[in-house]
């Protein structure tokens, strides 16, 4: 039963405005919420209608009757995250709406700055809004935390200790919206349900894996946040290591959170850092809210390995950066060269499988075919499956998937604490080694020194 | 040195007009003939110019200077294939032109009905036009025979005995123009130079192979020929069994005729006939030059196996027919189903690799991907490489490849006699079993009874 009261903390923020309210609208339109109400809460003194109105422009093809349903069931409570009294007031409103609409399940979404997580969680407990789930409970209470979940292993432990006092792991959703992207959630199914990939997915046939998440934009208006975190903490710790985990994990017993998270955790535990190169784009230090002496990286390449039987000897290269020449998120899998004596241009190009996530959602397989007019010369040719061209638009958006799964109790798109621990261990190890920081031109492929990295490890970035 | 005199017997026929002269024109345009002359010969009393003129309409974008070169070097000799005297006259013309143009290599192309092969060959020998190649010879003599090479194993032996008296195997080109098609000559390179296919190309991962060669046209004006041969002898014995051999052969030491032919022969020797179904389209018996009581098949499906370690247990299904619902030549490789417990709709569709030869030259891989909006449901999706879209037009035509390779001494597109023997053994075995003949509607998928064949062998035609 998808009946629940959605309590959104930070309801006047950007995430709520741009993503969460539009996603709830879609859930209503797609009839994925049977009975529901929404309570927004934030510091601002606004009406529910005024809060909702700000989301209108982010809803495509707005249907007035759906919008009307959303409006009728949306309420607002001004609330200071630091004041327990305000949470008591929120609790009153919650009980009142639950009675009115015959609801009992409570779904909390923390769309707030990460440093409020602990305060909010404690106040939710103290005001009686949430409680630890017991086997006999008729209703569930669940809570969603956005990234970043800490800024290192120690701080992540602190936040988690605070949360774990109040919740079981099954109630906690540390969401990574990357995991909701169609192509990302496809990875496991594609790996394990295709005979042309499954037997080859190991160090006998795979030569190396490259995971890239590059951007052309800079830090925009997020200077204050970004300068504290940098590329490693902002995207490597979460999105990129999750992509690595999905690519490398052993087959789970079933494709549900309970088993997927276990396999992701096991593989993340075995990640070993071999080499790293960091960069910072020129003029970064003069951006708004950035420390003029900042040593924060806006670019990082990592050479990781995974110490288990499937992946021994296979490099996993990661690359990310802001203000680069290209926006792309993709996993590039390079297969080994076949021991061929047949082509005149042997060794020929190896096969590559690209799982393109952004901007193009696609699978791309680079094969060798005969060059026309020659009997024994091969050339690489592309085989492509374009996800958007095939399935068309109308695929659920990330946040719609995320809310729908959390309300259903599915945790595949949420990260278990042991995964977070392993990921921070990797990042902390990199941080501790204090790799030098190289400058790079805006719009370039990264620091000039990254060519040395390629030479040193006998590799070439696929993109 | 691509210097040679091309002697075309049957120069006024359809093949010469539509295919051979235009192919020679292309060789000249592509500068693949350094020094050459052409002598056409046939029963008709025509001028060289008149013979050539008939080909003009089959040449795309005719360049007058190339055409001029072709015209200057083309000669004609009226000749009755049964009269030795005429061959002496031809020999005179040959010697005269060789002297004039400083040529010595002789390249004979028999573009004639198959029942003339032996007579012509004997007369070529008796008139001194050809001789068996000796190691010390300065010039070569080569001869091309078109299909059909006999109509059963016995007749093939008779023709070959006649030829072998005069030529070494290295001088004989029993061409199969199917082998010159780009996608067909790609098969070996694609199999053996791609890591995503090579390790999977065996009975551990391949479930079945389907080879289809279907046509929408009927027998056109070839009733007299076709009614004697039928589908099995017209296309299965040559084109389709060659496609099977290229798909199934072990890796040759090198991708040249010497080794490819050996591997094709080895696999053809191991072909076993399991089941067959034959059909004849309605009204076939009333076609021009067809026996009104004809029992000739215009449709055939075969269930073959290959008795070697790589292919034990893998069915090879062949289907061909005239006046069917679809024109297509393709090899469809069905991979095994992965032992998956992950998808809710498990077992899911198996992967298929299609090597499309006609009408679309392409590779098509059918994979499973996640159904958007569902966490654990897969749907088959297509990955495609379109040969024509990628390489564009301008790929050499079949006969251009065929002539160019034969002049170069490359025999990959020509069939060795032991391959022909094995192929006739298969066809003779089918013929001997006298399978019943089922009628089918024009434009249909074949006889209704072919559904029983599918049921019986638990298979479905991919196309």
């Amino acid at each position: 039963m998808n009946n629940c009261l959605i309590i959104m903390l930070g309801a006047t923020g950007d995430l709520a405005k741009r993503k969460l309210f539009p996603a709830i609208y879609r859930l209503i339109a797609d009839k994925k919420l049977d009975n529901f109400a929404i309570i927004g809460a934030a510091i601002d003194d606004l009406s529910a209608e005024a809060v909702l109105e700000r989301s209108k422009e982010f809803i495509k093809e707005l249907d007035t009757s759906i919008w009307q349903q959303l409006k009728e069931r949306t309420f607002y409570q001004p609330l200071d995250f630091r004041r327990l009294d305000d949470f008591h007031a929120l609790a009153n409103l919650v009980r009142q709406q639950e009675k009115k609409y015959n609801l009992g399940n409570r779904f909390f979404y923390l769309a707030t700055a990460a440093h409020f997580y602990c305060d909010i969680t404690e106040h939710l407990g103290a005001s009686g809004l949430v409680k630890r789930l017991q086997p006999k409970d008729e209703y569930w209470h669940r809570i969603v935390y956005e990234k970043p979940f800490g800024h290192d292993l120690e701080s992540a432990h602190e936040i988690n200790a605070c949360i774990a006092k109040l919740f079981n792991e099954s109630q906690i959703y540390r969401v990574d919206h990357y995991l909701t992207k169609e192509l990302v959630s496809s990875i496991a199914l594609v790996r394990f349900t295709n005979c042309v990939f499954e037997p080859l997915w190991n160090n006998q046939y795979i030569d190396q894996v490259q995971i890239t998440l590059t951007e052309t934009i800079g830090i925009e208006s997020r200077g204050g946040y970004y300068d504290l975190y940098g590329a490693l903490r902002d995207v490597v710790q979460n999105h990129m290591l999750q992509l690595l985990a999905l690519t490398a994990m052993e087959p789970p017993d079933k494709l549900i959170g309970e088993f997927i998270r276990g396999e992701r955790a096991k593989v993340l535990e075995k990640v070993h850092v071999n080499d790293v190169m960091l960069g910072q784009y020129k003029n970064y230090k003069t951006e708004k809210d950035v420390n003029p002496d900042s040593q924060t990286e806006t670019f990082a390449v990592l050479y990781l390995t995974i110490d288990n039987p499937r992946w021994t000897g296979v490099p996993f290269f990661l690359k990310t950066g802001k203000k680069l020449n290209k926006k792309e998120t993709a996993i590039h899998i390079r297969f080994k060269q076949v021991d061929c004596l047949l082509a005149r241009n042997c060794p020929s190009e190896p096969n590559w499988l690209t799982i393109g996530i952004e901007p193009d959602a696609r699978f791309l397989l680079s094969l060798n075919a005969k060059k026309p007019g020659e009997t024994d010369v091969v050339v690489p040719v592309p085989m492509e499956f374009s996800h958007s061209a095939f399935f068309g638009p109308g695929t659920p958006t990330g946040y719609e998937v995320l809310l729908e799964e959390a309300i259903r109790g599915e945790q595949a798109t949420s990260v278990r604490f042991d995964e977070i621990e392993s990921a921070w261990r990797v990042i902390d190890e990199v941080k501790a080694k204090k790799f030098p920081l190289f400058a790079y031109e805006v719009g370039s492929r990264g620091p000039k020194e990254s060519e040395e990295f390629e030479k040193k490890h006998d590799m070439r970035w696929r993109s």
Side-chain angles (χ1 to χ4, degrees), chain A:
Chain A
M1 292 288 283
N2 293 334
N3 295 348
C4 69
L5 182 66
I6 300 171
I7 302 118
M8 200 188 296
L9 298 158
T12 57
D14 238 35
L15 182 70
K17 177 174 72 178
R18 289 168 184 268
K19 301 290 185 180
L20 297 177
F21 282 116
I24 293 168
Y25 170 90
R26 289 281 348 141
L27 288 177
I28 300 168
D30 295 346
K31 303 195 189 316
K32 287 179 178 170
L33 284 176
D34 300 333
N35 182 15
F36 68 96
I38 300 148
I39 298 178
I43 191 89
D44 314 271
D45 197 3
L46 288 169
S47 69
E49 192 163 352
V51 173
L52 258 190
E53 204 59 35
R54 295 144 48 118
S55 288
K56 220 168 183 172
E57 62 173 304
F58 300 101
I59 295 170
K60 281 184 212 151
E61 297 168 23
L62 190 126
D63 175 313
T64 47
S65 84
I66 306 288
W67 182 251
Q68 194 56 34
Q69 285 180 56
L70 177 61
K71 222 158 79 174
E72 277 169 17
R73 297 282 179 114
T74 301
F75 308 90
Y76 183 78
Q77 171 75 42
L79 173 140
D80 183 334
F81 300 141
R82 292 160 301 189
R83 290 190 49 183
L84 178 58
D85 277 358
D86 287 3
F87 282 81
H88 282 299
L90 178 63
N92 279 337
L93 183 59
V94 165
R95 282 188 293 266
Q96 185 187 321
Q97 302 305 341
E98 283 184 337
K99 196 163 171 190
K100 186 167 156 194
Y101 295 111
N102 193 27
L103 295 165
N105 296 324
R106 291 178 190 169
F107 182 63
F108 293 88
Y109 203 111
L110 271 59
T112 71
H115 58 268
F116 289 122
Y117 286 174
C118 196
D119 277 354
I120 292 174
T121 308
E122 281 173 358
H123 289 153
L124 288 175
S127 61
L129 272 164
V130 298
K131 57 167 199 144
R132 188 184 293 276
L133 197 68
Q134 307 294 334
K136 57 174 186 6
D137 282 342
E138 187 182 358
Y139 294 113
W140 49 256
H141 292 175
R142 290 178 192 146
I143 187 160
V144 171
Y145 298 91
E146 278 277 338
K147 78 161 186 182
F149 201 86
H151 53 88
D152 58 12
L153 183 56
E154 194 185 335
S155 58
H157 268 286
E158 278 166 23
I159 299 171
N160 206 59
C162 177
I163 295 173
K165 269 189 272 175
L166 201 56
F167 294 107
N168 297 331
E169 181 68 34
S170 71
Q171 297 175 268
I172 305 169
Y173 290 74
R174 297 173 202 86
V175 295
D176 186 332
H177 70 270
Y178 249 72
L179 294 174
T180 65
K181 291 181 191 285
E182 265 304 315
L183 265 276
V184 175
S185 55
S186 264
I187 296 171
L189 275 174
V190 168
R191 282 183 58 188
F192 296 120
T193 65
N194 287 299
C195 181
V196 296
F197 296 136
E198 197 277 332
L200 304 175
W201 214 270
N202 54 59
N203 60 3
Q204 198 182 340
Y205 299 108
I206 290 181
D207 177 71
Q208 65 176 251
V209 177
Q210 296 184 6
I211 300 174
T212 54
L213 192 166
T214 59
E215 295 176 282
T216 50
I217 58 166
I219 54 171
E220 317 257 75
S221 58
R222 297 161 68 228
Y225 159 81
Y226 195 89
D227 201 40
L228 286 174
Y229 283 83
L232 289 166
R233 289 162 168 159
D234 186 43
V235 297
V236 179
Q237 187 270 343
N238 36 64
H239 308 326
M240 295 187 79
L241 286 176
Q242 283 292 324
L243 292 180
L244 175 142
L246 287 170
T247 307
M249 71 181 180
E250 296 299 310
D253 285 352
K254 283 186 186 172
L255 269 190
I256 54 174
E258 187 184 348
F259 299 104
I260 294 179
R261 289 158 27 127
E263 295 304 336
R264 288 195 316 232
K266 268 193 258 175
V267 85
L268 286 170
E269 202 188 330
K270 300 291 186 183
V271 170
H272 180 79
V273 179
N274 294 272
D275 196 9
V276 173
M277 231 214 63
L278 303 176
Q280 188 187 71
Y281 63 81
K282 287 183 180 169
N283 304 325
Y284 170 75
K285 292 187 179 71
T286 63
E287 299 255 22
K288 187 167 168 283
D289 300 330
V290 166
N291 180 342
D293 300 320
S294 175
Q295 289 299 302
T296 299
E297 77 287 350
T298 62
F299 173 93
V301 294
L302 294 90
Y303 166 15
L304 308 176
T305 43
I306 297 171
D307 297 332
N308 69 16
R310 189 188 283 265
W311 297 113
T312 303
V314 179
F316 283 74
F317 295 111
L318 275 52
K319 178 168 82 173
T320 186
K322 292 207 170 276
K323 293 216 174 180
L324 292 177
N325 61 330
K326 195 174 176 183
K327 173 181 169 62
E328 189 194 60
T329 303
I331 301 165
H332 301 286
I333 291 151
R334 180 179 148 130
F335 291 91
K336 298 214 168 177
Q337 263 158 352
V338 180
D339 178 29
C340 92
L341 301 163
L342 295 184
R344 204 194 317 162
N345 56 340
C346 187
S348 48
E349 279 294 303
N351 294 161
W352 288 87
L353 172 68
T354 294
I355 302 170
I357 295 158
E358 283 177 339
D360 302 317
R362 62 177 184 165
F363 299 110
L364 187 67
L365 186 59
S366 175
L367 293 175
N368 287 308
K370 195 175 91 68
K371 189 173 173 188
E374 305 274 353
T375 44
D376 58 356
V377 176
V378 291
V379 285
V381 302
M383 278 191 110
E384 184 168 354
F385 166 67
S386 164
H387 193 274
S388 46
F390 187 79
F391 288 116
T395 305
T397 64
Y399 279 90
E400 189 186 351
V401 172
L402 200 153
L403 291 173
E404 191 269 323
E405 294 196 358
I407 290 170
R408 188 151 51 82
E410 166 52 48
Q411 294 189 295
T413 51
S414 139
V415 184
R416 212 165 63 188
F417 189 62
D418 53 352
E419 299 180 75
I420 292 201
E421 279 182 298
S422 292
W424 278 125
R425 181 188 52 72
V426 171
I427 302 304
D428 285 1
E429 190 182 329
V430 174
K431 286 280 182 190
K433 287 187 180 160
K434 297 200 182 301
F435 290 96
L437 194 68
F438 299 98
Y440 63 96
E441 301 288 340
V442 167
S444 71
R445 301 183 70 231
K448 284 212 186 62
E449 291 78 3
S450 63
E451 287 170 25
E452 316 269 306
F453 181 93
E454 295 188 41
K455 259 188 217 158
K456 191 168 147 196
H457 301 299
D458 193 20
M459 62 87 65
R460 285 278 299 165
W461 293 104
R462 181 72 171 166
S463 63

